Amino acid sequence: MDPASLLEVYRRDRRRLLGFLLSAGGGGGLAVDLSRVDLNAVSADYALECVASGAQFDASEATRRYFDERRYPIMIGSPSGNSYFLLSSSEPSDSPPKEAAPCIGPQAPTQENSSPARQPRDFFRAAVNISEMGYGAKDVSLSDISPQRVNKVDILSLGLPELSTELSDDDIRETAYEVLLAALVVSGKIHFSEEKREKKPKFLKGLRSKVEGSNSSPQLENNYSQILDLIRVQMEISESMDTLTKRALRLTSLTMEHGHLDVPRISLQLLNSVGKLDFPTERLRVQWHRRQANVLEELLLFSASREYDMSETLRIVLSKLKNTEGWVVSVPEGRVEVLTIIERYNTKLSALTKKFGLKDETYHWAQNYHFNFRLYEKLLCSVFDILEDGQLVEEADEILEIAKLTWPILGITEKLHGVFYAWVLFQKFAQTGEILLLKRTSLQIQKLQLHHDIKEIELYTNSFICSAEACGSNRALNLVDSTLLKINVWCRHQLENYHAYFSKNNFSIFESMLNLVLLSAINSTEDGEEETMLIETPVGSTPESKLIHLLVVRSIQAAYKQALISSDGQSKTEFKHPLTMLANEVKLVAEKECTAFSPILHKYYPEAQRVALIFLHLLYGQQLELFLERIDHSENSKEILAASNNFELFIAQNLYSVYGEAVGSSLSSYLKPYMIGRFSSPLILQWLHAQHENVLEWTKRTIEIEDWEPLSAHEKQSTSVVEVFRIVEETVDQFFNSSLPLDIVHLRSLLIGITSSLQVYLMHMENQQVSGSTLLPSAPVLTRYAESMNPFAKRKVIEPTVPEEKVASKLNNLSVPKLCVKLSTLQFIRDQLDTIEEGIKHSWVSFLSAARLLDYLSCMASGRAVSKILSSSDESVDELFTIFDDVRMTAVKITDTILKFIGTRAVFWDMRDSLLLSLYRDSVEGARMEIFIPSIDQVLDQVCDLIVDVLRDQVVLRIFQACMAGFIWVLLDGGPSRAFLETDVDLMQQDLAMLKDLFVAEGQGLPLDVVEKEAKQSREILDLYMLKADTIIEMLIHASDQMSNHLEFTSAQRRHVHDAHTLLRVLCHKKDKIASTFLKIQYHLPRSSDYDDVPVKDASYKVPIFSEMLKKSTSFNWSETGQQSFRIMKKKLQEASWQ
């Protein structure tokens, strides 16, 4: 749009906004009568102040403020408040602008970065030059069809001959409305009454005629009145001018004859019927009068220039008419004479021979089509809602029907109507991007191509010449062809760079525009199109396929050129090699092509996606080939190869997804696989070796500082194992995300590195363990129950043994909470190892898919059949993963070791003083089990909080087994301080039942049958204490005789309830005179009163370790057979130890 037209648009919008504000209540809350207010001379700031404050609007004050403001430069809002626009040269100024002013002219849309333009690197300069478009880049498009950018570029022009007068866009619009009113009057569709219409206070009254007409008369004339009122608002005609024009046409309607009416006659009738006093302001009168004079000059003077005798006279009278001041003061007779002369000339021109002999044809149809068609174009534009840009009003069809009444006046035919309506629809689409308008344009063009007129009308339609720029030159075409060509060229300029013009917000427009291009295509192609393309159209392609092929190639070429420039700029800001950035950029182009454009293009040209992807692959390959000739082992090389391989995989994947294994195509000859694996394999092995060293070093460091505390309440494993697996997972992710071709050698190296790191971790855990036998209490001296006769006699003290310093330091890190964390950690290792193995296998399957894609691409390039089998079979890959079984076996082994140790630690170490050395000490009634149940319960709660669910029952079972072993130890090896009566057994059985109930936990703990099984031996030992001493002695003698037959010795934890060891200790702890006498005579056991256990409060040790339980046993006085049996039993006991 030229600057003058653009200024008119801005002024019109300003008047409309001011009128809306003031008429809607800008004067103290009351509507302002704007009929005599010149809105062009109203200060916008003053109007806004009145609306905001509710003050009364004063037209004179608004005008004064307007002219006062014009004396100062236009200010712009800025933090400093002192920025303004300069109308003069800035050279004499002290502070020139720091940045150049933005360009006002049309701007071609690009995808370049907003940063200052920078010269591409030498590496890319040749590529940019090679990828230059082989056609002109002169663009008349509206960017990416976004309304925000429409104002920056020129609106499409129909190419009609230029007007010779100074008629503005507003003049054309107002004249078109007058022609419409005259057509309505002459057609008899509507009659303008003398009664004044009720004035409506709202600026937009009549905009929704269907709503306001709900109570209107059903008569046809009233319907026309409602539609006409809507058209008036749409065409932005003021009520005062509408009333003035209708009054003039009502007075002259009787003199107008239907069929001989033309635009000059309408103007003459209006000039003859309208006086000075009919206008609300002098300015309006001058504008209206000047417009009428310009219309007559445009239509009569230049048409009559062929008749010299007429043109000179006409020029003189028109000059008088254009003198608006003189016209007012002249006598009426003089004005009538001027108008009569003009009318006579118009009548003479109208009487000339008609060129086409059509019905109702007038002289002005053919001679002044450039003006008539502009009027009709303005009329058709009234179908667009002025408030909702890009939307048609609901009454659009009624408006079109009324517009058809102007056909006899303006020389419009059905086909011309279709052309103009398609054109205004397309123009509005170009401004707004509304897809509905584009679809309506396509529908109109379809109707146009199906329409056929008689020969005379066809000749008439084709006689109108418009200028159109095509093939690099300005061509003269008929109106229909020019319109279709302009629409086609505009759309093609978008489609020839559709990556720049279309985004996800307007993909639907892309398909509609493509349909429109195919629909409006003219049977001619630009010269040299085939020669400029780097990838040729397949032989035998249809014209439609050739056109789409051209669009794809040119758009890909433009997108690649833009990617070259963009990647060069990004490489400088992100400090990466330009080829890496270029690979990422072209991959984005390919993604957008495959997801957005190719599915649409495929409908019309099945090879569209193949063309786009192969062409992109070819363009990037030219750059990559230069790099591969001088590749090194730097990090940049790895990034470039990865990005290139990633791009090539994407190309292969999309080609395969669309075209399958059909590799035969003439386009495949342009494929040249990059062969990335040949260059990347040494780089991958080098990286794996360095990564393995890093992982191993990190594993050693983190395990050395591990304190075996849980990671959180929900994640019960150690922190160190999480760190180890984190770095392992990062290594695996980096390995498979490297986007480089892999082989089985690389996979084997990866698995070896993972296994080595985990084995180091597990070995450290195993070295921290100690044997569970170090926690078992040493067997006290065997005594017989006997009370001391001398309470002051000195007793022998049983001293505990102290563990070695090295073992004691290890035990500090083997507390029950730490052991629980270790068990959870071992389970976490097993679970994570399964997860990692599954993930690696899944990733390897994905890699095999990628390898097959690269093989597919090679087959396509060479034309051979696609191979089905790759070198790496599934069996060979599964064999590699057996290396993880060693890690699993080690983890299971250490888990079993800790499980055996944790119960012993909890009972025989942590609860030694509170349970083993205190339970039943001195008397059963004074040290019952119920005293120690809370301690055991606390340990169980601690275990349940720290152990994972899968191991919880196993750990609790081990603790219960240790409790049973401790209970048995109290019963059999409790030392001199423990002696039991038969009456104590009931209490001890109750304690055993209490302990079992604790671990069963009302069905929430261990299964009842498991608990009963583990408590069976304790129950049987308690049953022995219920027997008489004589019975036990007989059982002991019988058991000793069996030992003489070389029966295998059983350890303390596996001893049978009726073996000699158990029976002997039952007698030692039985508070019975017969048992004491037997032990004194046969074994010479000392009295229990001669020894004293170390009291708990005096214990000076923390870590007592236990020797063999029968190390200090004495000999027994048996018979020869009995002594022989005892010697055998004693030797077995001395060789045995607690496990």
Side-chain angles (χ1 to χ4, degrees), residues 603-628:
K603 302 176 184 177
Y604 308 93
Y605 181 41
E607 295 290 325
Q609 184 166 328
R610 195 197 299 266
V611 171
L613 295 179
I614 292 179
F615 192 32
L616 268 178
H617 187 271
L618 173 64
L619 291 174
Y620 180 76
Q622 294 173 351
Q623 295 300 310
L624 182 63
E625 186 177 359
L626 300 175
F627 168 77
L628 293 179

Side-chain angles (χ1 to χ4, degrees), residues 583 620 624 639-649 674 676:
Y620 180 76
L624 182 63
E639 290 182 357
I640 293 171
L641 293 176
S644 302
N645 186 68
N646 198 21
F647 169 65
E648 188 173 39
L649 281 174
Y674 300 154
I676 302 296

Side-chain angles (χ1 to χ4, degrees), residues 279-327:
F279 294 92
T281 63
E282 178 63 16
R283 182 187 59 83
L284 290 178
R285 185 199 68 79
V286 172
Q287 290 177 349
W288 181 87
H289 188 89
R290 184 180 296 115
R291 173 170 61 83
Q292 300 297 344
N294 286 334
V295 168
L296 291 173
E297 182 180 10
E298 179 71 37
L299 298 178
L300 299 180
L301 180 59
F302 297 100
S303 297
S305 60
R306 302 172 190 156
E307 309 284 343
Y308 178 78
D309 58 336
M310 294 176 59
S311 61
E312 287 300 323
T313 305
L314 186 59
R315 194 184 309 276
I316 295 172
V317 296
L318 284 176
S319 64
K320 293 182 180 181
L321 179 62
K322 294 178 71 174
N323 186 1
T324 57
E325 298 299 332
W327 182 264

Side-chain angles (χ1 to χ4, degrees), residues 909-1078:
W909 175 274
D910 295 337
M911 292 188 291
R912 183 173 185 273
D913 294 338
S914 61
L915 181 63
L916 294 183
L917 300 183
S918 300
L919 181 66
Y920 304 151
R921 187 180 181 87
D922 297 332
S923 68
V924 173
E925 292 183 357
R928 294 284 302 276
M929 179 66 73
E930 61 185 8
I931 302 175
F932 313 108
I933 287 295
S935 299
I936 302 175
D937 190 32
Q938 184 178 1
V939 173
L940 294 177
D941 289 342
Q942 193 177 46
V943 167
C944 293
D945 290 339
L946 295 175
I947 202 71
V948 292
D949 293 341
V950 68
L951 294 175
R952 185 192 62 183
D953 287 350
Q954 298 183 52
V955 175
V956 172
L957 177 60
R958 297 292 179 152
I959 294 176
F960 180 67
Q961 290 174 345
C963 287
M964 291 298 98
F967 189 74
I968 292 174
W969 184 88
V970 169
L971 295 180
L972 300 181
D973 297 295
S977 61
R978 290 182 175 88
F980 309 112
L981 294 171
E982 294 179 6
T983 56
D984 294 332
V985 175
D986 290 338
L987 298 178
M988 292 189 290
Q989 288 178 339
Q990 294 176 12
D991 290 347
L992 178 61
M994 188 184 305
L995 189 60
K996 292 191 294 182
D997 291 340
L998 174 65
F999 282 88
V1000 172
E1002 299 180 353
Q1004 301 299 318
L1006 295 176
L1008 181 60
D1009 56 340
V1010 173
V1011 173
E1012 292 293 344
K1013 179 181 178 182
E1014 297 297 332
K1016 178 180 179 181
Q1017 189 174 15
S1018 300
R1019 187 174 59 253
E1020 291 177 347
I1021 292 174
L1022 289 177
D1023 291 340
L1024 289 177
Y1025 280 103
M1026 295 289 293
L1027 299 177
K1028 298 295 184 180
D1030 296 338
T1031 305
I1032 299 175
I1033 292 173
E1034 292 178 359
M1035 295 171 64
L1036 174 61
I1037 296 174
H1038 177 71
S1040 300
D1041 292 339
Q1042 288 183 342
M1043 289 183 64
S1044 63
N1045 297 328
H1046 305 286
L1047 295 179
E1048 291 294 332
F1049 173 75
T1050 57
S1051 66
Q1053 291 186 347
R1054 298 192 305 270
R1055 64 161 61 108
H1056 192 266
V1057 69
H1058 294 137
D1059 62 18
H1061 304 277
T1062 303
L1063 297 172
L1064 177 61
R1065 283 161 175 74
V1066 169
L1067 289 174
C1068 290
H1069 291 85
K1070 192 171 180 63
K1071 191 182 291 187
D1072 185 268
K1073 186 175 181 179
I1074 297 176
S1076 178
T1077 303
F1078 173 78

Side-chain angles (χ1 to χ4, degrees), residues 113 115-121 124 562-576 578 581:
N113 294 337
S115 58
R118 293 169 292 186
Q119 183 69 19
R121 298 185 181 182
F124 278 142
Q562 181 59 39
L564 279 171
I565 300 173
S566 176
S567 59
D568 181 66
Q570 292 180 17
S571 68
K572 295 176 182 178
T573 58
E574 299 184 17
F575 305 102
K576 292 185 178 180
M581 307 307 299

Side-chain angles (χ1 to χ4, degrees), residues 547-559:
L547 175 57
I548 297 179
H549 182 96
L550 176 65
L551 297 178
V552 171
V553 170
R554 287 188 171 178
S555 185
I556 291 297
Q557 197 170 11

Side-chain angles (χ1 to χ4, degrees), residues 204-254:
L204 298 178
K205 69 169 187 175
L207 184 59
R208 291 292 180 265
S209 60
K210 289 189 174 180
V211 177
E212 294 182 348
S214 59
N215 298 324
S216 62
S217 172
Q219 297 179 1
L220 183 60
E221 182 174 344
N222 286 340
N223 184 50
Y224 277 109
S225 298
Q226 294 168 8
I227 300 300
L228 182 61
D229 195 31
L230 174 61
I231 294 175
R232 178 191 65 79
V233 176
Q234 292 290 106
M235 297 185 70
E236 301 179 57
I237 304 298
S238 65
E239 289 191 30
S240 60
M241 295 307 298
D242 177 58
T243 303
L244 182 149
T245 306
K246 288 179 178 178
R247 185 185 303 116
L249 292 176
R250 177 176 56 80
L251 296 175
T252 60
S253 61
L254 298 178

